[in-house]
Amino acid sequence: PDVPRVHGTWWQDAKSVGLMRGWYWLKDARYKPSLEFDALQRATGLDFGELGMWVDVEKPVITMKDRDYNRLPYRGYKFVYDLMYRIQQSGASGFNERLPGVYTSPGAFKLILSPASSEAQMWFAQAPLWTAQYYWFYREGISRPVMYGKWQKEIWWQYRENPDHNIFNGTQAEFEAFHSFDYTPPTPTPPAQFPRLIVITQAAVNGLRVRGGPGTTFPVV
């Protein structure tokens, strides 16, 4: 809620320049879901934009120990369910009339959602999944997040943090169909032209033949 309070025009400003907008809301186990929903409704007006509403399922403080989380009054999957159900039934605009998305990680899922019954797990899995999994050796196009609960696939994968990097699991057409928006991006400014620079380390040079052009007919340089 700090964004609409401090920067009250940002929501409409972003729309006016063609940016896609959405909301991300931490399910804070220190507060009743009903109070959180009231605050969410005041902050968003139940307008979740093109990217929709995502409920962050994790500890309210990143440095909090699991044992301290388990002492909070509104901990666990039942209170996450309560908030998500209220959002689902609110009549808010966009694809989240089905269910808000879930942002979580394998560790947070194990702590908060894994104690739920199989039936409850199936209910949660109807929500789009945005998973946070940071691999030390990430390989684009090869690395994949692991699934948990009853989810079969992720919609978004946050594979890096500080700053966050995310990948949509699908094509451009699937992206547009999922978010259901009519989006015409602004005309981009052409980037400045710089000469290409190739840096080859000594380790890469060993056993490597570099040719003077794109093909085997060019001489080795």
Side-chain angles (χ1 to χ4, degrees):
D2 286 345
V3 172
R5 179 174 59 84
V6 179
H7 301 286
T9 65
W10 275 14
W11 187 252
Q12 291 303 321
D13 290 345
K15 182 177 181 179
S16 67
V17 296
L19 294 177
M20 296 169 285
R21 308 156 305 152
W23 287 95
Y24 169 102
W25 189 276
L26 171 67
K27 173 62 195 84
D28 195 324
R30 295 170 295 185
Y31 301 98
K32 286 183 178 180
S34 58
L35 295 179
E36 285 195 276
F37 178 78
D38 290 344
L40 184 152
Q41 188 170 22
R42 289 194 300 272
T44 68
L46 299 182
D47 176 7
F48 298 149
E50 298 77 23
L51 300 179
M53 178 71 213
W54 296 84
V55 175
D56 178 7
V57 180
E58 60 181 317
K59 292 178 287 190
V61 180
I62 193 170
T63 56
M64 179 179 285
K65 303 293 185 183
D66 288 1
R67 64 175 179 270
D68 295 324
Y69 171 83
N70 285 324
R71 296 189 183 106
L72 297 178
Y74 304 104
R75 65 189 180 277
Y77 70 92
K78 293 181 180 179
F79 296 102
V80 177
Y81 173 93
D82 194 347
L83 178 61
M84 291 179 61
Y85 183 76
R86 289 171 186 268
I87 295 170
Q88 181 192 35
Q89 298 298 311
S90 67
S93 62
F95 74 92
N96 283 310
E97 290 175 357
R98 301 196 302 269
L99 267 179
V102 170
Y103 171 91
T104 192
S105 66
F109 173 85
K110 181 178 180 181
L111 175 66
I112 301 171
L113 298 182
S114 67
S117 66
S118 179
E119 291 78 8
Q121 297 282 4
M122 290 297 295
W123 187 87
F124 283 116
Q126 295 176 62
L129 175 64
W130 179 5
T131 186
Q133 298 180 40
Y134 312 131
Y135 294 155
W136 186 267
F137 296 106
Y138 169 77
R139 296 291 181 267
E140 185 174 355
I142 299 174
S143 301
R144 294 288 304 132
V146 298
M147 290 296 97
Y148 38 85
K150 300 294 185 180
W151 278 289
Q152 300 298 311
K153 70 170 188 174
E154 85 287 358
I155 296 298
W156 284 99
W157 175 21
Q158 187 177 105
Y159 65 94
R160 190 175 297 164
E161 62 177 345
N162 297 324
D164 295 343
H165 292 251
N166 299 276
I167 300 176
F168 177 78
N169 185 12
T171 65
Q172 178 69 26
E174 289 170 334
F175 177 88
E176 295 177 6
F178 177 77
H179 294 102
S180 300
F181 64 90
D182 182 12
Y183 175 62
T184 303
T187 303
T189 302
Q193 298 298 314
F194 296 97
R196 298 181 66 183
L197 175 64
I198 300 176
V199 178
I200 303 176
T201 64
Q202 183 61 44
V205 169
N206 295 333
L208 177 67
R209 293 188 298 174
V210 180
R211 297 184 181 273
T216 57
T217 60
F218 287 84
V220 176
V221 293

